[in-house]
């Protein structure tokens, strides 16, 4: 990066407020560095280690990290050494992953007042900027009427920040509906929480039903090695999941994307199709390809004649993600700082790459590399970098709540994606592809109760979720095409 880019980045960081607490966070940084050094040598008290107050409960590869903080285990600030043990514990637990997005669940269980929660926020306010930038949500569980009534919020900037991102949950059962929830999280709950909130029993009963379904599936497919998946009871569908829920190849790329890209790798002439990724395909054909992807029927996918169908499913993968590849927080960041970003587009794009969750960034780079391979055939397919950006801008970026005002931002997102494509035009996406046979077994946790011997097109057609999208004439046409 040359000096002009460095100067522009410095200017941009001055203009763009990552959060309203930036000035205060900078003041905290020096003290934090001292705390971090102390953490390496500080021995937590025995009283505290028996009941630690913070616990990382998410998986290492999850897009969003989840921390449980038990209010009743937080020491009284008057017991200075115990309280210092708690603060050091928070820093040691969160610091290694603080550059990833995270959620904090504060257990207000058995708390008669809001003082413990307020004390925690006061301490959190002494931490530097990075502890605020990636926080997606602060959930207070078992909040009493004092907390819910807003009495916990003071007038200072720290508590105002918390007020904006705080939600309340009355029971564990409500938390279990969240996408980040894993059944294993129940195992770390203190007995006091279980005694207070009996809804955990409902969650355990749901888990037992899930295990029973898993056993049925194992019997159906004759596979005793199906992984125990915390999300096994989720609705069985191929598109519309969170990014981290997709089965990944050995390089960390969703298998579905791998298969779709390899369709073009094995048939490079398809990249020359005019309007590829711009033109639409028949919905019923897309549904059939989705069904084949569900069972990883590589042979069937590779025999699809209409390359627009494969290209459309590739687009739909991103469009239907529960949270877009460029997260809602990144979307809001761009919209809030639109004037400054428009003046410094290339630097802003570099910053977006830096701010993205690591897993999302890997998928984005893989996709940009592949799309640039398509762009290289623009003499035939007419898909320039700009045309590709017009298609994928709305697929990569979208707001959490759709508003008419979003239309005014479309041009900027197209420009951003075009610059991304140009910056990564030589990215080697092929290193992320996995060599696979045409007859891989499907992942049963994605499609429970399906047989493993889907040998013909009729079986594939029968898997289509909405059978009404295919009439008999279309069915006959497809059978003649693919037999």
């Amino acid at each position: 990066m040359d000096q002009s880019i460095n100067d522009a980045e410095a200017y941009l960081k001055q203009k763009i407020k990552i959060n309203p607490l930036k000035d205060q966070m900078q003041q905290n940084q020096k003290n934090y560095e001292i705390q971090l050094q102390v953490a390496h040598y500080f021995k937590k008290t025995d009283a505290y280690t028996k009941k630690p107050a913070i616990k990382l409960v998410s998986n290492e590869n999850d897009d969003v990290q989840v921390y449980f903080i038990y209010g009743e285990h937080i020491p009284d600030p008057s017991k200075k050494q115990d309280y210092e043990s708690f603060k050091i514990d928070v820093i040691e637990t969160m610091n290694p992953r603080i550059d990833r997005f995270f959620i904090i669940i504060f257990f207000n269980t058995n708390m008669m007042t809001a003082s413990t929660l307020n004390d925690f926020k006061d301490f959190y306010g002494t931490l530097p900027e990075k502890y605020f930038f990636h926080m997606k949500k602060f959930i207070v569980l078992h909040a009493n009427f004092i907390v819910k009534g807003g009495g916990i919020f003071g007038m200072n900037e720290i508590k105002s920040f918390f007020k904006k991102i705080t939600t309340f949950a009355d029971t564990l059962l409500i938390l279990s509906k969240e996408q980040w929830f894993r059944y294993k999280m129940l195992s770390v709950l203190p007995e006091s929480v279980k005694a207070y909130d009996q809804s955990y029993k409902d969650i355990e009963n749901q888990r037992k039903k899930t295990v029973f379904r898993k056993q049925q599936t194992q019997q159906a497919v004759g596979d005793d090695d199906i992984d125990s998946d915390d999300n096994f009871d989720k609705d069985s569908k191929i598109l519309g999941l969170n990014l981290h829920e997709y089965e990944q190849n050995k390089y960390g790329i969703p298998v579905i994307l791998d298969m779709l890209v390899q369709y073009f790798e094995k048939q490079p002439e398809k990249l020359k199709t005019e309007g590829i990724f711009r033109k639409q395909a028949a919905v019923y054909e897309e549904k059939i390809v989705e069904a084949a992807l569900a069972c990883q029927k590589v042979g069937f996918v590779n025999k699809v004649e209409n390359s627009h169908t494969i290209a459309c499913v590739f687009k739909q993968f991103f469009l239907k993600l529960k949270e877009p590849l460029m997260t809602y927080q990144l979307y809001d960041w761009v919209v809030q700082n639109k004037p400054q970003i428009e003046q410094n587009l290339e630097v802003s794009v570099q910053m977006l790459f830096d701010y993205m969750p690591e897993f999302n960034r890997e998928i984005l780079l893989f996709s940009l590399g592949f799309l640039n391979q398509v762009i290289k055939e623009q003499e035939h397919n007419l898909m320039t970098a700009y045309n590709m950006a017009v298609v994928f801008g709305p697929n990569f970026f979208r707001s959490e709540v759709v508003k008419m005002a979003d239309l005014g931002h479309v041009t900027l997102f197209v420009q951003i994606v075009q610059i991304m494509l140009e910056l990564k035009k030589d990215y080697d996406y092929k290193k992320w592809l996995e060599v696979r046979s045409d007859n891989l077994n499907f992942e049963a946790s994605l499609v429970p109760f399906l047989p493993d011997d889907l040998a013909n097109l009729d079986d594939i057609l029968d898997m289509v979720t909405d059978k009404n999208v295919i009439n008999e004439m279309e069915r006959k046409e497809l059978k003649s095409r693919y037999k």
Side-chain angles (χ1 to χ4, degrees):
M1 191 179 289
D2 60 27
Q3 185 58 42
S4 62
I5 294 294
N6 283 328
D7 293 342
E9 183 171 9
Y11 166 79
L12 192 62
K13 285 183 175 179
Q14 287 178 356
K15 290 290 185 181
I16 294 178
K17 292 186 177 180
I18 294 174
N19 65 58
L21 309 171
K22 190 174 183 67
D23 293 338
Q24 185 170 344
M25 296 304 100
Q26 289 174 341
Q27 295 174 9
N28 292 345
Q29 182 64 40
K30 187 174 182 180
N31 290 335
Y32 173 74
E33 290 172 359
I34 296 173
Q35 286 181 302
L36 203 56
Q37 293 176 15
V38 171
H40 292 297
Y41 303 100
F42 189 86
K43 187 177 185 300
K44 291 184 278 290
T45 66
D46 292 338
Y48 176 75
T49 54
K50 288 178 181 178
K51 290 186 176 181
I54 183 170
K55 181 75 174 177
L56 173 68
V57 295
S58 52
N59 295 325
E60 182 63 33
N61 60 348
D62 284 349
D63 288 346
V64 178
Q65 300 293 284
V66 180
Y67 299 95
F68 282 1
I69 294 184
Y70 306 115
E72 61 184 339
H73 289 179
I74 297 177
D76 190 308
S78 63
K79 297 179 179 178
K80 190 170 182 181
Q81 190 174 2
D82 285 350
Y83 202 73
E84 287 298 315
S85 295
F86 162 65
K87 293 196 292 186
I88 293 301
D89 202 15
V90 170
I91 292 172
E92 285 184 331
T93 303
M94 298 185 69
N95 183 66
R97 304 166 186 83
I98 202 60
D99 291 328
R100 301 172 66 176
F101 288 106
F102 64 91
I103 294 170
I104 291 178
I105 318 299
F106 187 95
F107 285 72
N108 203 59
T109 316
N110 295 318
M111 296 286 102
M112 300 304 294
T113 69
S115 59
T116 302
L117 182 55
N118 281 334
D119 289 340
F120 170 73
K121 290 178 180 178
D122 288 340
F123 153 63
Y124 203 89
T126 66
L127 299 175
E129 178 183 36
K130 58 186 178 181
Y131 280 78
F132 289 79
F133 178 69
H134 290 100
M135 190 192 297
K136 292 176 70 70
K137 195 180 292 186
F138 185 80
I139 301 175
V140 181
L141 182 68
H142 304 148
N144 56 38
F145 72 94
I146 298 175
V147 173
K148 287 185 176 180
I152 60 171
F153 300 118
M155 298 302 292
N156 66 56
E157 288 185 326
I158 297 296
K159 291 181 181 177
S160 296
F161 169 84
F162 273 107
K163 186 173 183 178
K164 293 176 182 177
I165 64 168
T166 296
T167 60
F168 302 103
D170 291 332
T171 65
L172 290 164
L173 187 59
I174 293 174
L175 286 186
S176 72
K177 307 300 181 184
E178 298 280 347
Q179 287 299 319
W180 48 260
F181 181 81
R182 301 287 184 269
Y183 284 113
K184 71 172 188 176
M185 294 177 181
L186 294 178
S187 64
V188 302
L189 294 177
E191 289 302 318
S192 58
V193 172
K194 293 181 180 181
Y196 180 91
D197 189 344
Q198 293 294 301
S199 72
Y200 87 93
K201 293 181 179 179
D202 296 326
I203 304 173
E204 289 187 334
N205 289 334
Q206 186 179 359
R207 174 61 171 166
K208 290 176 183 177
K209 292 178 182 178
T210 299
V211 172
F212 178 69
R213 288 178 58 194
K214 172 175 171 281
Q215 292 170 344
Q216 284 186 312
T217 305
Q218 287 174 329
Q219 293 171 2
V221 301
D223 185 358
D224 292 328
D225 295 323
I226 298 173
D227 289 336
S228 177
D229 186 355
D230 282 324
N231 287 322
F232 188 79
D233 65 323
K234 301 289 185 186
D235 290 339
S236 143
K237 57 183 178 179
I238 304 310
L239 301 182
L241 303 176
N242 282 313
L243 194 58
H244 70 270
E245 292 182 283
Y246 286 98
E247 183 189 359
Q248 299 167 25
N249 70 13
K250 64 183 181 181
Y251 302 113
I253 300 299
V255 171
I256 289 178
L257 288 184
D258 183 311
M259 290 174 64
L260 292 170
V261 169
Q262 292 213 43
Y263 169 89
F264 292 100
E265 289 297 305
K266 294 176 180 178
Q267 304 171 87
E269 70 280 1
K270 299 285 190 181
L271 295 175
K272 298 180 180 181
T273 306
E274 183 177 337
I276 193 69
F277 290 99
R278 178 176 58 82
K279 293 184 178 180
Q280 299 301 312
V283 173
Y284 73 87
E285 287 193 352
E286 292 180 34
K287 293 287 186 181
I288 294 167
V289 170
E290 289 175 27
L293 289 169
C295 293
Q296 297 188 9
K297 291 297 175 180
V298 181
F300 177 85
V301 173
N302 288 339
K303 287 173 66 177
V304 172
E305 181 181 328
N306 187 356
S307 56
H308 292 300
T309 303
I310 303 298
C312 284
V313 175
F314 184 91
K315 288 189 296 184
Q316 290 291 316
F317 175 88
F318 293 103
L319 183 63
K320 292 185 178 181
L321 284 172
K322 281 191 176 176
E323 182 166 15
L325 186 66
M326 306 300 293
T327 62
Y328 294 132
Q329 189 168 3
L330 292 173
Y331 180 98
D332 292 341
W333 181 83
V334 172
V335 171
Q336 291 165 7
N337 299 285
K338 185 176 179 180
Q340 293 81 20
I341 289 174
E342 288 177 328
Q343 295 174 22
N344 301 274
L345 270 171
E346 187 170 333
V347 177
S348 300
V349 169
Q350 293 283 9
M351 292 173 70
L352 280 170
F353 280 126
D354 292 339
Y355 291 157
M356 289 182 71
E358 183 179 358
F359 184 44
N360 294 49
R361 182 167 56 247
E362 290 174 355
I363 304 306
L364 176 63
L365 292 174
F366 171 79
S367 303
L368 294 173
F370 166 64
L371 294 177
N372 271 304
Q373 188 72 11
V374 182
I375 293 170
K376 289 178 182 178
E377 300 293 346
Q378 62 182 275
E379 180 181 350
H380 304 284
N381 61 34
L382 308 182
M383 293 302 291
T384 62
Y386 172 77
N387 290 340
M388 197 67 79
V390 169
V391 172
F392 281 91
N395 288 298
F396 289 165
F397 288 93
R398 67 175 187 274
S399 61
E400 189 166 8
V401 179
V402 179
K403 308 177 291 291
M404 286 296 295
D406 294 339
L407 295 175
H409 309 310
V410 170
T411 300
L412 176 57
F413 288 118
V414 169
Q415 291 174 320
I416 288 173
V417 174
Q418 183 177 358
I419 290 174
M420 286 178 169
L421 285 164
E422 291 168 351
L423 288 175
K424 304 300 178 182
K425 62 183 178 181
D426 297 320
Y427 186 80
D428 180 17
Y429 69 96
K430 296 182 181 182
K431 65 183 180 182
W432 301 104
L433 296 173
E434 182 177 346
V435 177
R436 58 185 67 246
S437 72
D438 281 357
N439 295 302
L440 277 181
N441 292 332
F442 67 94
E443 171 57 47
S445 65
L446 286 178
V447 193
F449 309 121
L450 293 179
D452 191 25
D453 57 349
L454 296 172
N456 56 61
L457 182 59
D458 276 327
D459 291 324
I460 295 286
L461 293 174
D462 288 339
M463 289 169 51
V464 178
T465 304
D466 184 1
K467 295 189 173 73
N468 294 326
V469 301
I470 303 175
N471 60 39
E472 284 304 314
M473 184 177 297
E474 292 166 336
R475 191 180 184 108
K476 288 179 181 178
E477 178 189 344
L478 285 164
K479 288 188 69 173
S480 64
R481 185 185 301 175
Y482 295 119
K483 68 180 180 180

